[in-house]
Amino acid sequence: MRILLIEDEKKTAAFLQKGLSENGFLVDIASDGQDGVFQASQQSYDLIILDVMLPKLDGWGVIQAIQQVKPHQRILFLTACDDVEEKVKGLTLGADDYLIKPFSFSELVARVRTILRRGNEKQMTMLQIADLRLDLLRRKAYRGNKKIVLSPKEFALLTFFAQHQGEVLSRTLLAERVWDIHFDCDTNVVDVAIRRLRNKVDDGFEIKLIHTVRGSGYVFEVGAENIE
Amino acid sequence: MFLKLAQKISNKPKSITAQLTLFYSLAIFLILAGIASLSYIALKDVLFEINQQFLLDELNVMKSLLAHEVGDKGIKQEIQDVPNLPNAEHRVLRKESLYRYYIRVTNVNNKHFLETPLMRQRLASADFFNQQVLSKQSEILAWQSPEHRHYLLLSALYTPPYQNTTYLIQMALDITQQKDVIRECRDKLILSLNLGLLVAVLFGFMIAKKGLRNLQQLTETTRQITVHSLHARLSPDAWPVELRALGQAFNEMLERIEHAFHKLTQFSSDLAHELRTPINNLMGVTEINLARDLTVAEYQAVLTSNLEECNRIAHIIENLLFLARADNLQINLQKTTLNIFDEVQTICEYYQAMAEEKNIQLHCQGKAEAQANQVMFRRMISNVLSNALKYTASGGAVHVNIESKVGKICLRIEDNGCGISAQHLPRLFERFYRVDASRSLDSGGVGLGLAIVKSIVDLHGGQIEVLSQAGQGTTVVIHLPMT
């Protein structure tokens, strides 16, 4: 997966490149708007991540220019301004998603994966990870032959985990996707909910599925140790 | 062309003083001119009436004399015994007598006539004796002699009863003096009109200047206001009523600006203060750990701690920015119609795990619909619920009651937790105010939750109230308008 990162702040660009590379992406960097548009039109990228505040040509200009050459290009923009109008402007111009600075890196990776998966998602009725089976139609969960009794929200949380295996999911992202909470609030609640889910899903089983990534969030996968 | 010019002039900003003076003077002028012309016309009318009456009376006297056949002697006595005009006039006209009026009585049959002395000379050139004049008998005519004397002329034919003689009675009334009086009166009226106008312009100008002098003070005060002297105020109590309102409004504006500025200053210092703690932690932890060799696990612990502090800073910034924007009303409230129960239920579901963990009953009941910004509404409920859960002990209960009243909805979030003592209640909505600083820090709050709730309620035009007693639980009551 190739990503073009258009960002003039060298430090930001460097850590994003490092982080994204470690997550298996190939990252090219453009340090201003014009350069960004040039690279985007010359080569093929799966996703473009761009800062709105750019020298020479600002983010909006870049989005418009790229849209003219490649109307289906996927774009995620980063902004330091969390004005509703700013967000609406970006999305109207044709960007797929946005993130407000400061953002957590795991948040960025989660959103990048979501955008890249868009359109390829299959409608699944059953999910199986190790001995965990999720019946999405009947909304029932089993571990081996044992039925696990979950509340609707717990089931939704487990499904979201199962659909994002191996990805570090931040508390903010979980609150947003599972509980529909789109604002800054007490995220201890997410920890409590996950602790309770873990008690039901992992307690008493050999293979642990839900793991804490300290400082970042949670990851759902088979066999990894808790990164405490 | 002229229209354009007129437009240009009317579009030009005008001086209030000039306008006031102009209209004031114009009004005074019109009033004076009205009075003057009315009195002038009245004077003229009265004098004419008197003259006419005089002539008709004299005619009747003559008729009566003729009817009683007093003879030439009797008539002569009447027509020659005419009062002179005041002496002053004599000198002007070569010391000749000027009679007040002249009468001639002519016997039509034998052309014999009697007349007031000098009548022939004075009225020689008048068309007094020709047919035309005669035909217009009993009609009063004005005539000016070559000597510039003014007369009123009246002629009448008369046949006394039981006589077969017809007489022609001709009369001339000298009104030169009256004409002079009228002219003099007119001149004086015009003069006083002009003087009046001048006085009016002067007074108008003075009144306007005096009235607008307070504007000068306003200008000066405005000029002096800087961020350091926002406390300056006008003293409009001594001002005229019309300007007092402006002065008061201006003072109120200063009040608001001062208040807002104070809040802004407070905000900046709060921000600096609040950021100090996490940044201090970051610096300290990083510095100490850089000074020695660490194991990978230790590094991870340090970085994790730093990340937590960073998250905390991000959290503070997000909340403060929200408040700052709400203060400046920069938030574009995109209201939608919300099913309040569903919205509250969504938030309750989010906190359900937490409530169950603490063994607290969390319930929501009632229904209502209202127009509000969805994200803000949820954020408001979430902040209040988060507090309620935080300060309620295990085994307690938190209830949300939704009620729909006339034009507004009422939300009661009630807990049976530890309550808040009275001294804290008035300051609850202040930024960074914590009832118990250590505990709040412990539970991850930064003391902005209720301040945000308050600004969301304010943005929606609602009211919020906190009822509480230490040890007896807390009830937060929120009223929001439905639209």
Side-chain angles (χ1 to χ4, degrees), chain A residues 143-181:
Chain A
R143 201 96 206 241
N145 291 325
K146 197 186 160 205
K147 189 181 170 193
I148 304 167
V149 183
L150 297 171
S151 75
K153 280 291 165 198
E154 282 169 341
F155 187 81
L157 180 59
L158 187 58
T159 310
F160 188 76
F161 268 132
Q163 284 168 341
H164 296 83
Q165 267 189 81
E167 295 172 25
V168 178
L169 304 172
S170 72
R171 292 169 179 80
T172 318
L173 187 79
L174 288 170
E176 205 177 298
R177 297 296 165 86
V178 178
W179 285 277
D180 205 13
I181 301 287

mmCIF file of all heavy atoms in Angstrom, chain A residues 143-181:
data_model
loop_
_atom_site.group_PDB
_atom_site.id
_atom_site.type_symbol
_atom_site.label_atom_id
_atom_site.label_comp_id
_atom_site.label_asym_id
_atom_site.label_seq_id
_atom_site.Cartn_x
_atom_site.Cartn_y
_atom_site.Cartn_z
ATOM 1 N N ARG A 143 -17.576 -19.390 22.342
ATOM 2 C CA ARG A 143 -16.159 -19.694 22.466
ATOM 3 C C ARG A 143 -16.092 -21.217 22.555
ATOM 4 O O ARG A 143 -16.554 -21.800 23.542
ATOM 5 C CB ARG A 143 -15.643 -19.051 23.756
ATOM 6 C CG ARG A 143 -14.157 -18.827 23.809
ATOM 7 C CD ARG A 143 -13.625 -17.544 23.451
ATOM 8 N NE ARG A 143 -12.262 -17.809 22.985
ATOM 9 C CZ ARG A 143 -11.166 -17.327 23.528
ATOM 10 N NH1 ARG A 143 -11.239 -16.461 24.507
ATOM 11 N NH2 ARG A 143 -9.983 -17.657 23.050
ATOM 12 N N GLY A 144 -15.556 -21.855 21.544
ATOM 13 C CA GLY A 144 -15.639 -23.304 21.463
ATOM 14 C C GLY A 144 -17.110 -23.682 21.393
ATOM 15 O O GLY A 144 -17.835 -23.162 20.545
ATOM 16 N N ASN A 145 -17.557 -24.505 22.286
ATOM 17 C CA ASN A 145 -18.966 -24.867 22.295
ATOM 18 C C ASN A 145 -19.753 -24.062 23.309
ATOM 19 O O ASN A 145 -20.962 -24.192 23.420
ATOM 20 C CB ASN A 145 -19.116 -26.360 22.606
ATOM 21 C CG ASN A 145 -18.589 -27.177 21.435
ATOM 22 O OD1 ASN A 145 -18.736 -26.775 20.277
ATOM 23 N ND2 ASN A 145 -17.924 -28.288 21.754
ATOM 24 N N LYS A 146 -19.026 -23.244 24.053
ATOM 25 C CA LYS A 146 -19.688 -22.508 25.123
ATOM 26 C C LYS A 146 -20.285 -21.202 24.592
ATOM 27 O O LYS A 146 -19.620 -20.425 23.890
ATOM 28 C CB LYS A 146 -18.659 -22.197 26.222
ATOM 29 C CG LYS A 146 -19.319 -21.813 27.527
ATOM 30 C CD LYS A 146 -18.272 -21.382 28.534
ATOM 31 C CE LYS A 146 -18.926 -20.553 29.609
ATOM 32 N NZ LYS A 146 -17.984 -19.658 30.235
ATOM 33 N N LYS A 147 -21.548 -20.969 24.911
ATOM 34 C CA LYS A 147 -22.195 -19.734 24.475
ATOM 35 C C LYS A 147 -21.811 -18.610 25.435
ATOM 36 O O LYS A 147 -21.781 -18.796 26.650
ATOM 37 C CB LYS A 147 -23.705 -19.920 24.468
ATOM 38 C CG LYS A 147 -24.428 -18.765 23.832
ATOM 39 C CD LYS A 147 -25.938 -18.975 23.858
ATOM 40 C CE LYS A 147 -26.617 -17.681 23.424
ATOM 41 N NZ LYS A 147 -28.048 -17.710 23.725
ATOM 42 N N ILE A 148 -21.486 -17.463 24.880
ATOM 43 C CA ILE A 148 -21.139 -16.321 25.734
ATOM 44 C C ILE A 148 -22.317 -15.353 25.720
ATOM 45 O O ILE A 148 -22.783 -14.931 24.660
ATOM 46 C CB ILE A 148 -19.872 -15.595 25.226
ATOM 47 C CG1 ILE A 148 -18.723 -16.596 25.121
ATOM 48 C CG2 ILE A 148 -19.495 -14.454 26.143
ATOM 49 C CD1 ILE A 148 -17.548 -16.071 24.354
ATOM 50 N N VAL A 149 -22.794 -15.003 26.897
ATOM 51 C CA VAL A 149 -23.940 -14.080 26.973
ATOM 52 C C VAL A 149 -23.417 -12.642 27.012
ATOM 53 O O VAL A 149 -22.664 -12.270 27.912
ATOM 54 C CB VAL A 149 -24.802 -14.352 28.226
ATOM 55 C CG1 VAL A 149 -26.021 -13.436 28.232
ATOM 56 C CG2 VAL A 149 -25.218 -15.816 28.252
ATOM 57 N N LEU A 150 -23.809 -11.873 26.012
ATOM 58 C CA LEU A 150 -23.328 -10.487 25.902
ATOM 59 C C LEU A 150 -24.491 -9.513 25.783
ATOM 60 O O LEU A 150 -25.533 -9.842 25.216
ATOM 61 C CB LEU A 150 -22.441 -10.337 24.658
ATOM 62 C CG LEU A 150 -21.146 -11.142 24.595
ATOM 63 C CD1 LEU A 150 -20.542 -11.016 23.204
ATOM 64 C CD2 LEU A 150 -20.163 -10.671 25.642
ATOM 65 N N SER A 151 -24.285 -8.319 26.311
ATOM 66 C CA SER A 151 -25.296 -7.275 26.096
ATOM 67 C C SER A 151 -25.134 -6.779 24.654
ATOM 68 O O SER A 151 -24.107 -7.023 24.037
ATOM 69 C CB SER A 151 -25.066 -6.124 27.082
ATOM 70 O OG SER A 151 -23.953 -5.367 26.669
ATOM 71 N N PRO A 152 -26.150 -6.100 24.101
ATOM 72 C CA PRO A 152 -26.038 -5.641 22.699
ATOM 73 C C PRO A 152 -24.769 -4.820 22.448
ATOM 74 O O PRO A 152 -24.102 -4.995 21.425
ATOM 75 C CB PRO A 152 -27.287 -4.786 22.514
ATOM 76 C CG PRO A 152 -28.268 -5.309 23.498
ATOM 77 C CD PRO A 152 -27.474 -5.796 24.676
ATOM 78 N N LYS A 153 -24.427 -3.944 23.378
ATOM 79 C CA LYS A 153 -23.248 -3.103 23.159
ATOM 80 C C LYS A 153 -21.973 -3.931 23.243
ATOM 81 O O LYS A 153 -21.015 -3.684 22.504
ATOM 82 C CB LYS A 153 -23.200 -1.974 24.209
ATOM 83 C CG LYS A 153 -24.112 -0.815 23.871
ATOM 84 C CD LYS A 153 -23.633 -0.036 22.648
ATOM 85 C CE LYS A 153 -24.756 0.858 22.144
ATOM 86 N NZ LYS A 153 -24.555 1.320 20.769
ATOM 87 N N GLU A 154 -21.962 -4.911 24.133
ATOM 88 C CA GLU A 154 -20.795 -5.776 24.239
ATOM 89 C C GLU A 154 -20.613 -6.576 22.949
ATOM 90 O O GLU A 154 -19.492 -6.749 22.468
ATOM 91 C CB GLU A 154 -20.940 -6.714 25.444
ATOM 92 C CG GLU A 154 -20.646 -6.012 26.759
ATOM 93 C CD GLU A 154 -21.033 -6.835 27.976
ATOM 94 O OE1 GLU A 154 -21.853 -7.779 27.835
ATOM 95 O OE2 GLU A 154 -20.519 -6.533 29.058
ATOM 96 N N PHE A 155 -21.734 -7.010 22.372
ATOM 97 C CA PHE A 155 -21.657 -7.751 21.120
ATOM 98 C C PHE A 155 -21.111 -6.848 20.005
ATOM 99 O O PHE A 155 -20.254 -7.242 19.217
ATOM 100 C CB PHE A 155 -23.037 -8.303 20.735
ATOM 101 C CG PHE A 155 -22.975 -9.205 19.538
ATOM 102 C CD1 PHE A 155 -22.590 -10.538 19.677
ATOM 103 C CD2 PHE A 155 -23.257 -8.726 18.260
ATOM 104 C CE1 PHE A 155 -22.502 -11.369 18.572
ATOM 105 C CE2 PHE A 155 -23.154 -9.551 17.155
ATOM 106 C CZ PHE A 155 -22.778 -10.885 17.310
ATOM 107 N N ALA A 156 -21.596 -5.606 19.995
ATOM 108 C CA ALA A 156 -21.138 -4.658 18.980
ATOM 109 C C ALA A 156 -19.639 -4.399 19.137
ATOM 110 O O ALA A 156 -18.893 -4.348 18.144
ATOM 111 C CB ALA A 156 -21.910 -3.347 19.102
ATOM 112 N N LEU A 157 -19.200 -4.283 20.368
ATOM 113 C CA LEU A 157 -17.792 -4.033 20.644
ATOM 114 C C LEU A 157 -16.930 -5.219 20.188
ATOM 115 O O LEU A 157 -15.917 -5.045 19.503
ATOM 116 C CB LEU A 157 -17.614 -3.790 22.149
ATOM 117 C CG LEU A 157 -16.221 -3.497 22.692
ATOM 118 C CD1 LEU A 157 -15.629 -2.262 22.038
ATOM 119 C CD2 LEU A 157 -16.274 -3.309 24.206
ATOM 120 N N LEU A 158 -17.394 -6.409 20.493
ATOM 121 C CA LEU A 158 -16.650 -7.612 20.117
ATOM 122 C C LEU A 158 -16.601 -7.764 18.596
ATOM 123 O O LEU A 158 -15.561 -8.111 18.018
ATOM 124 C CB LEU A 158 -17.296 -8.841 20.772
ATOM 125 C CG LEU A 158 -16.547 -10.154 20.612
ATOM 126 C CD1 LEU A 158 -15.147 -10.048 21.179
ATOM 127 C CD2 LEU A 158 -17.310 -11.299 21.277
ATOM 128 N N THR A 159 -17.718 -7.462 17.938
ATOM 129 C CA THR A 159 -17.762 -7.543 16.476
ATOM 130 C C THR A 159 -16.765 -6.569 15.858
ATOM 131 O O THR A 159 -16.027 -6.909 14.936
ATOM 132 C CB THR A 159 -19.182 -7.212 15.962
ATOM 133 O OG1 THR A 159 -20.106 -7.994 16.685
ATOM 134 C CG2 THR A 159 -19.303 -7.484 14.478
ATOM 135 N N PHE A 160 -16.751 -5.339 16.408
ATOM 136 C CA PHE A 160 -15.835 -4.328 15.880
ATOM 137 C C PHE A 160 -14.386 -4.795 16.035
ATOM 138 O O PHE A 160 -13.585 -4.681 15.113
ATOM 139 C CB PHE A 160 -16.056 -2.988 16.597
ATOM 140 C CG PHE A 160 -15.302 -1.852 15.990
ATOM 141 C CD1 PHE A 160 -15.736 -1.264 14.811
ATOM 142 C CD2 PHE A 160 -14.136 -1.382 16.576
ATOM 143 C CE1 PHE A 160 -15.025 -0.226 14.240
ATOM 144 C CE2 PHE A 160 -13.419 -0.341 16.011
ATOM 145 C CZ PHE A 160 -13.868 0.237 14.834
ATOM 146 N N PHE A 161 -14.090 -5.379 17.203
ATOM 147 C CA PHE A 161 -12.748 -5.936 17.433
ATOM 148 C C PHE A 161 -12.434 -7.006 16.393
ATOM 149 O O PHE A 161 -11.373 -6.999 15.770
ATOM 150 C CB PHE A 161 -12.668 -6.553 18.839
ATOM 151 C CG PHE A 161 -12.188 -5.615 19.889
ATOM 152 C CD1 PHE A 161 -12.848 -5.477 21.103
ATOM 153 C CD2 PHE A 161 -11.028 -4.867 19.679
ATOM 154 C CE1 PHE A 161 -12.395 -4.610 22.080
ATOM 155 C CE2 PHE A 161 -10.556 -4.011 20.658
ATOM 156 C CZ PHE A 161 -11.247 -3.881 21.852
ATOM 157 N N ALA A 162 -13.385 -7.896 16.215
ATOM 158 C CA ALA A 162 -13.159 -9.031 15.324
ATOM 159 C C ALA A 162 -12.952 -8.573 13.888
ATOM 160 O O ALA A 162 -12.194 -9.172 13.122
ATOM 161 C CB ALA A 162 -14.342 -9.993 15.410
ATOM 162 N N GLN A 163 -13.619 -7.489 13.517
ATOM 163 C CA GLN A 163 -13.487 -6.974 12.150
ATOM 164 C C GLN A 163 -12.184 -6.199 11.966
ATOM 165 O O GLN A 163 -11.820 -5.858 10.844
ATOM 166 C CB GLN A 163 -14.681 -6.076 11.812
ATOM 167 C CG GLN A 163 -15.945 -6.866 11.529
ATOM 168 C CD GLN A 163 -17.174 -5.985 11.473
ATOM 169 O OE1 GLN A 163 -17.159 -4.873 11.968
ATOM 170 N NE2 GLN A 163 -18.231 -6.501 10.873
ATOM 171 N N HIS A 164 -11.529 -5.848 13.068
ATOM 172 C CA HIS A 164 -10.286 -5.091 12.959
ATOM 173 C C HIS A 164 -9.148 -5.819 13.642
ATOM 174 O O HIS A 164 -8.385 -5.237 14.397
ATOM 175 C CB HIS A 164 -10.471 -3.688 13.551
ATOM 176 C CG HIS A 164 -11.463 -2.872 12.800
ATOM 177 N ND1 HIS A 164 -12.813 -2.969 13.013
ATOM 178 C CD2 HIS A 164 -11.311 -1.973 11.806
ATOM 179 C CE1 HIS A 164 -13.452 -2.150 12.190
ATOM 180 N NE2 HIS A 164 -12.554 -1.530 11.444
ATOM 181 N N GLN A 165 -9.053 -7.113 13.345
ATOM 182 C CA GLN A 165 -7.999 -7.940 13.938
ATOM 183 C C GLN A 165 -6.625 -7.353 13.726
ATOM 184 O O GLN A 165 -6.287 -6.920 12.626
ATOM 185 C CB GLN A 165 -8.014 -9.299 13.252
ATOM 186 C CG GLN A 165 -8.848 -10.328 13.958
ATOM 187 C CD GLN A 165 -8.611 -11.666 13.310
ATOM 188 O OE1 GLN A 165 -7.621 -12.323 13.605
ATOM 189 N NE2 GLN A 165 -9.508 -12.036 12.405
ATOM 190 N N GLY A 166 -5.828 -7.377 14.781
ATOM 191 C CA GLY A 166 -4.431 -6.968 14.642
ATOM 192 C C GLY A 166 -4.225 -5.464 14.577
ATOM 193 O O GLY A 166 -3.099 -4.992 14.517
ATOM 194 N N GLU A 167 -5.309 -4.681 14.576
ATOM 195 C CA GLU A 167 -5.134 -3.229 14.524
ATOM 196 C C GLU A 167 -5.206 -2.654 15.940
ATOM 197 O O GLU A 167 -6.032 -3.087 16.741
ATOM 198 C CB GLU A 167 -6.238 -2.581 13.685
ATOM 199 C CG GLU A 167 -6.189 -2.987 12.235
ATOM 200 C CD GLU A 167 -7.413 -2.467 11.480
ATOM 201 O OE1 GLU A 167 -8.016 -1.471 11.908
ATOM 202 O OE2 GLU A 167 -7.752 -3.089 10.458
ATOM 203 N N VAL A 168 -4.352 -1.669 16.201
ATOM 204 C CA VAL A 168 -4.446 -1.013 17.503
ATOM 205 C C VAL A 168 -5.618 -0.037 17.438
ATOM 206 O O VAL A 168 -5.659 0.838 16.585
ATOM 207 C CB VAL A 168 -3.147 -0.265 17.845
ATOM 208 C CG1 VAL A 168 -3.300 0.450 19.183
ATOM 209 C CG2 VAL A 168 -1.986 -1.234 17.893
ATOM 210 N N LEU A 169 -6.571 -0.241 18.319
ATOM 211 C CA LEU A 169 -7.764 0.602 18.299
ATOM 212 C C LEU A 169 -7.755 1.531 19.514
ATOM 213 O O LEU A 169 -7.673 1.074 20.650
ATOM 214 C CB LEU A 169 -9.020 -0.275 18.313
ATOM 215 C CG LEU A 169 -9.101 -1.300 17.173
ATOM 216 C CD1 LEU A 169 -10.268 -2.248 17.394
ATOM 217 C CD2 LEU A 169 -9.232 -0.612 15.827
ATOM 218 N N SER A 170 -7.822 2.820 19.244
ATOM 219 C CA SER A 170 -7.773 3.777 20.359
ATOM 220 C C SER A 170 -9.128 3.836 21.050
ATOM 221 O O SER A 170 -10.161 3.472 20.485
ATOM 222 C CB SER A 170 -7.391 5.155 19.850
ATOM 223 O OG SER A 170 -8.471 5.705 19.136
ATOM 224 N N ARG A 171 -9.115 4.337 22.275
ATOM 225 C CA ARG A 171 -10.364 4.462 23.032
ATOM 226 C C ARG A 171 -11.335 5.393 22.308
ATOM 227 O O ARG A 171 -12.532 5.134 22.247
ATOM 228 C CB ARG A 171 -10.066 5.005 24.429
ATOM 229 C CG ARG A 171 -9.303 4.016 25.284
ATOM 230 C CD ARG A 171 -8.793 4.670 26.565
ATOM 231 N NE ARG A 171 -8.076 3.691 27.387
ATOM 232 C CZ ARG A 171 -6.821 3.341 27.156
ATOM 233 N NH1 ARG A 171 -6.137 3.877 26.147
ATOM 234 N NH2 ARG A 171 -6.229 2.451 27.925
ATOM 235 N N THR A 172 -10.783 6.491 21.774
ATOM 236 C CA THR A 172 -11.629 7.458 21.069
ATOM 237 C C THR A 172 -12.340 6.794 19.894
ATOM 238 O O THR A 172 -13.540 6.981 19.678
ATOM 239 C CB THR A 172 -10.759 8.608 20.535
ATOM 240 O OG1 THR A 172 -9.825 8.958 21.530
ATOM 241 C CG2 THR A 172 -11.589 9.798 20.165
ATOM 242 N N LEU A 173 -11.564 6.012 19.127
ATOM 243 C CA LEU A 173 -12.150 5.360 17.954
ATOM 244 C C LEU A 173 -13.244 4.384 18.378
ATOM 245 O O LEU A 173 -14.311 4.326 17.772
ATOM 246 C CB LEU A 173 -11.056 4.629 17.175
ATOM 247 C CG LEU A 173 -11.523 4.054 15.838
ATOM 248 C CD1 LEU A 173 -11.571 5.155 14.798
ATOM 249 C CD2 LEU A 173 -10.632 2.925 15.380
ATOM 250 N N LEU A 174 -12.985 3.629 19.447
ATOM 251 C CA LEU A 174 -13.971 2.660 19.926
ATOM 252 C C LEU A 174 -15.242 3.374 20.386
ATOM 253 O O LEU A 174 -16.349 2.966 20.047
ATOM 254 C CB LEU A 174 -13.376 1.823 21.069
ATOM 255 C CG LEU A 174 -12.307 0.809 20.640
ATOM 256 C CD1 LEU A 174 -11.622 0.212 21.854
ATOM 257 C CD2 LEU A 174 -12.925 -0.292 19.786
ATOM 258 N N ALA A 175 -15.057 4.463 21.143
ATOM 259 C CA ALA A 175 -16.225 5.211 21.630
ATOM 260 C C ALA A 175 -17.050 5.700 20.450
ATOM 261 O O ALA A 175 -18.277 5.680 20.464
ATOM 262 C CB ALA A 175 -15.782 6.389 22.481
ATOM 263 N N GLU A 176 -16.334 6.112 19.404
ATOM 264 C CA GLU A 176 -16.996 6.669 18.229
ATOM 265 C C GLU A 176 -17.769 5.592 17.470
ATOM 266 O O GLU A 176 -18.930 5.775 17.113
ATOM 267 C CB GLU A 176 -15.904 7.261 17.341
ATOM 268 C CG GLU A 176 -16.380 8.357 16.442
ATOM 269 C CD GLU A 176 -15.209 8.929 15.658
ATOM 270 O OE1 GLU A 176 -14.287 9.459 16.300
ATOM 271 O OE2 GLU A 176 -15.218 8.812 14.428
ATOM 272 N N ARG A 177 -17.070 4.465 17.224
ATOM 273 C CA ARG A 177 -17.681 3.455 16.365
ATOM 274 C C ARG A 177 -18.690 2.576 17.083
ATOM 275 O O ARG A 177 -19.644 2.103 16.484
ATOM 276 C CB ARG A 177 -16.590 2.559 15.745
ATOM 277 C CG ARG A 177 -15.631 3.299 14.844
ATOM 278 C CD ARG A 177 -16.395 3.851 13.633
ATOM 279 N NE ARG A 177 -15.594 4.841 12.940
ATOM 280 C CZ ARG A 177 -14.701 4.530 12.011
ATOM 281 N NH1 ARG A 177 -14.497 3.288 11.682
ATOM 282 N NH2 ARG A 177 -14.018 5.480 11.424
ATOM 283 N N VAL A 178 -18.465 2.317 18.349
ATOM 284 C CA VAL A 178 -19.352 1.391 19.044
ATOM 285 C C VAL A 178 -20.489 2.119 19.744
ATOM 286 O O VAL A 178 -21.636 1.709 19.693
ATOM 287 C CB VAL A 178 -18.558 0.527 20.052
ATOM 288 C CG1 VAL A 178 -19.492 -0.416 20.811
ATOM 289 C CG2 VAL A 178 -17.480 -0.262 19.331
ATOM 290 N N TRP A 179 -20.164 3.260 20.377
ATOM 291 C CA TRP A 179 -21.206 3.942 21.170
ATOM 292 C C TRP A 179 -21.720 5.211 20.498
ATOM 293 O O TRP A 179 -22.564 5.890 21.048
ATOM 294 C CB TRP A 179 -20.678 4.279 22.566
ATOM 295 C CG TRP A 179 -20.586 3.083 23.456
ATOM 296 C CD1 TRP A 179 -21.612 2.535 24.177
ATOM 297 C CD2 TRP A 179 -19.427 2.307 23.727
ATOM 298 N NE1 TRP A 179 -21.154 1.456 24.878
ATOM 299 C CE2 TRP A 179 -19.809 1.280 24.629
ATOM 300 C CE3 TRP A 179 -18.104 2.344 23.290
ATOM 301 C CZ2 TRP A 179 -18.923 0.329 25.097
ATOM 302 C CZ3 TRP A 179 -17.225 1.390 23.775
ATOM 303 C CH2 TRP A 179 -17.630 0.384 24.666
ATOM 304 N N ASP A 180 -21.122 5.555 19.359
ATOM 305 C CA ASP A 180 -21.590 6.744 18.648
ATOM 306 C C ASP A 180 -21.307 8.025 19.440
ATOM 307 O O ASP A 180 -22.092 8.964 19.438
ATOM 308 C CB ASP A 180 -23.108 6.614 18.372
ATOM 309 C CG ASP A 180 -23.525 7.437 17.171
ATOM 310 O OD1 ASP A 180 -22.628 7.884 16.437
ATOM 311 O OD2 ASP A 180 -24.738 7.636 16.981
ATOM 312 N N ILE A 181 -20.183 8.027 20.159
ATOM 313 C CA ILE A 181 -19.817 9.191 20.970
ATOM 314 C C ILE A 181 -18.762 9.988 20.190
ATOM 315 O O ILE A 181 -17.607 9.586 20.119
ATOM 316 C CB ILE A 181 -19.213 8.741 22.321
ATOM 317 C CG1 ILE A 181 -20.210 7.891 23.104
ATOM 318 C CG2 ILE A 181 -18.739 9.938 23.145
ATOM 319 C CD1 ILE A 181 -21.362 8.623 23.702
#
